[in-house]
Amino acid sequence: MSSNASEEIALVAALQGDSVAAFDALYRMYFPAVYANILHLVKDSAAAQDIVQEVFIRLWEKRKLLQAGQPAGNWLFVVSYNRSLNHLRSTLRQRLKLAALAPDTVESEEEEWEVTSIQLDMLERAIDKLPPQRKKVFLLCKMQGKTYAEAATELQISHYTVKEHLTKASRFIRDYVRLQPEWQALLVAFPLLTSLFDR
């Protein structure tokens, strides 16, 4: 385990003990990557700012439920993904309501949390199946928001190799998740995910 991962796991443990300093450190560590992921999905900087704040509020609210011994990156990635989808669904509903086509359906917080937990489990299983070097590249670039150049320097490999690892890791994770029975169930319950996942 790298020193960065050990440090982050210590921050998560401190956060579970109600440390505001640990929360601030995780916020500074992950804000750029989480914001970039949200903006990529919603394509609206004002909405992305609101969502990223909601995600970190949620991190504080759910700190006791974080898995001990794990970094916060996967959790933040999945929660920000789900919050972004909620925003897109809400926007779509409003548009359909204007056209008098949509029923009033509101997903409860419990349902949202259940979906988040299922997605997090699938993502973590997929990441664990990556070869070690590919896993490091994926975690550095996708979870910690590092650039290709930063990851290349840290791992002492070329920029091109980082890009190749990231492309193959993303493809593997997407394919792995699509084959999981949980994913098929989520698609039935949340058909909008299909179109968003195929982007």
Side-chain angles (χ1 to χ4, degrees), residues 82-163:
N82 287 335
R83 289 282 170 170
S84 300
L85 292 188
N86 287 345
H87 169 77
L88 293 171
R89 273 196 294 258
S90 174
T91 301
L92 179 61
R93 275 194 206 111
Q94 288 173 355
R95 288 180 184 161
L96 292 175
K97 273 184 188 175
L98 289 175
L101 294 174
D104 279 334
T105 54
V106 178
E107 187 179 316
S108 73
E109 187 169 320
E110 291 76 21
E111 288 170 332
E112 179 191 332
W113 184 246
E114 186 175 341
V115 170
T116 298
S117 297
I118 292 169
Q119 289 177 324
L120 185 57
D121 286 345
M122 284 191 292
L123 178 63
E124 288 177 344
R125 287 200 310 266
I127 291 171
D128 281 345
K129 291 188 179 300
L130 292 172
Q133 189 76 337
R134 200 162 292 163
K135 180 177 177 180
K136 286 179 188 172
V137 168
F138 184 83
L139 292 175
L140 286 173
C141 294
K142 291 294 187 181
M143 300 301 167
Q144 296 181 20
K146 297 200 173 184
T147 64
Y148 289 2
E150 290 169 336
T153 301
E154 184 166 334
L155 299 175
Q156 298 182 335
I157 57 178
S158 74
H159 181 277
Y160 176 79
T161 303
V162 169
K163 185 178 177 184

Side-chain angles (χ1 to χ4, degrees), residues 30 33-34 36-38 40-41 55-56 72-84 116 119-120 123-124 127 138 141-144 170 173 197:
Y30 277 107
V34 172
N37 284 334
I38 294 169
H40 177 73
L41 286 168
V55 168
F56 281 98
N74 292 354
W75 190 94
L76 288 167
F77 181 77
V78 171
V79 171
S80 63
Y81 178 79
N82 287 335
R83 289 282 170 170
S84 300
T116 298
Q119 289 177 324
L120 185 57
L123 178 63
E124 288 177 344
I127 291 171
F138 184 83
C141 294
K142 291 294 187 181
M143 300 301 167
Q144 296 181 20
S170 298
I173 290 170
F197 199 72

